[in-house]
Amino acid sequence: MSAADLQTPLKRARGLGSAKSGVHHWIVQRVTAVALIPLCLWLVYLVLAAMNADYAQARALVHAPANALLLIAFVLAVFWHAQLGLQVVIEDYVHTRWLEIASQLAIKFFCVLGAVACVLAIVKIALA
Amino acid sequence: MAQTARPLSPHLGVYRWQITMTLSILHRATGIALAVGTLLVIAALLALAAGPESYAQVHGFCASPFGLFLLFGWTWSLCYHLCNGVRHLAWDAGWGFEIPRTYVTGWTVVIASVVLTILVWACVLTRGAA
């Protein structure tokens, strides 16, 4: 029996260096979080402004270049941040392997589709 | 799969209640709620791009009692997740780990989230609800 057989997986992994992407998830979650602080406050302001607007006025709000830009930034940050967060929740609580993989895929597909749909809608309004 | 038979941590039942544990799970819960809330963002933007009829449908849903209930819940979820998120970022920067300080910042987050929610809905009500 070699020494490696008696070692825990942690002992074998230690000292081998980083897996290259170890903190990437953590960092992107923080970067999108910081971006979302001003973007969320601005979105609440925009929604309050759009609340009593009729259709044409609401469209004009999103049509304004600064609003369209910030909305796209918000949408990209929010779906990215949501995907990262939901991924960790599933990793923590879903222990049935096939269900875990299925829900991870579903979350990722939903977030990408949602982001693309929102950006398409904003671009359509912005360029109209 | 013998490993899954190990005793698993955390043993939630043996801990005395602390505000920090509640705020921790609330951060996750509000995060999940807000992720569900992106459905409304998608619906609103797609409807706005599609035309007046579909926009009126989304607007009508938001103004319905159930819609207002959801919007109120999402408002507080957003305020809470935002405030507690800032608390998390402070921890990430290495600030605020002392136990008494986690309680102070915790209660600050709770109060700030409620105040912000009231402020937002004061704006909603004074402008004539939805």
Side-chain angles (χ1 to χ4, degrees):
Chain A
M1 184 180 276
S2 70
D5 293 329
L6 298 171
Q7 291 174 346
T8 63
L10 178 65
K11 175 70 179 170
R12 280 202 293 278
R14 266 198 178 139
L16 293 176
S18 93
K20 306 303 179 202
S21 58
V23 290
H24 183 254
H25 180 287
W26 189 91
I27 287 175
V28 177
Q29 194 171 36
R30 268 67 192 172
V31 171
T32 51
V34 172
L36 281 167
I37 296 172
L39 287 173
C40 281
L41 293 173
W42 168 82
L43 185 83
V44 170
Y45 167 78
L46 186 80
V47 170
L48 286 173
M51 194 180 67
N52 288 325
D54 62 20
Y55 177 73
Q57 290 167 328
R59 231 184 130 102
L61 268 177
V62 177
H63 179 75
N67 287 346
L69 170 79
L70 288 175
L71 255 184
I72 290 175
F74 167 79
V75 160
L76 293 180
V78 91
F79 280 106
W80 202 347
H81 190 79
Q83 191 276 313
L84 293 170
L86 292 174
Q87 178 194 335
V88 177
V89 171
I90 291 167
E91 283 168 358
D92 283 354
Y93 301 134
V94 183
H95 300 305
T96 309
R97 192 63 179 146
W98 69 266
L99 194 60
E100 183 186 350
I101 293 171
S103 27
Q104 293 288 16
L105 280 176
I107 291 298
K108 282 174 171 55
F109 291 171
F110 168 76
C111 286
V112 171
L113 268 181
V116 172
C118 286
V119 169
L120 269 178
I122 297 163
V123 168
K124 186 184 170 195
I125 296 166
L127 298 182
Chain B
M1 297 296 281
Q3 283 200 322
T4 55
R6 290 174 304 167
L8 294 172
S9 179
H11 311 282
L12 290 174
V14 304
Y15 288 113
R16 175 176 54 83
W17 179 86
Q18 300 154 81
I19 181 182
T20 43
M21 60 166 72
T22 307
L23 299 192
S24 173
I25 197 63
L26 270 179
H27 196 68
R28 283 214 151 164
T30 51
I32 295 168
L34 289 168
V36 176
T38 60
L39 282 171
L40 183 64
V41 176
I42 300 173
L45 284 171
L46 287 181
L48 192 61
E53 297 81 16
S54 38
Y55 186 69
Q57 280 185 342
V58 172
H59 204 272
F61 172 75
C62 290
S64 71
F66 183 58
L68 287 171
F69 167 75
L70 284 179
L71 283 171
F72 188 81
W74 279 323
T75 307
W76 179 75
S77 295
L78 181 65
C79 293
Y80 176 80
H81 202 84
L82 185 69
C83 293
N84 203 46
V86 172
R87 184 164 168 251
H88 268 278
L89 288 172
W91 285 332
D92 294 337
W95 184 87
F97 279 118
E98 304 84 354
I99 298 293
R101 191 158 271 167
T102 61
Y103 290 130
V104 171
T105 55
W107 281 111
T108 307
V109 160
V110 171
I111 294 165
S113 69
V114 172
V115 169
L116 281 175
T117 308
I118 291 171
L119 270 176
V120 169
W121 280 81
C123 288
V124 173
L125 294 174
T126 51
R127 291 183 189 204

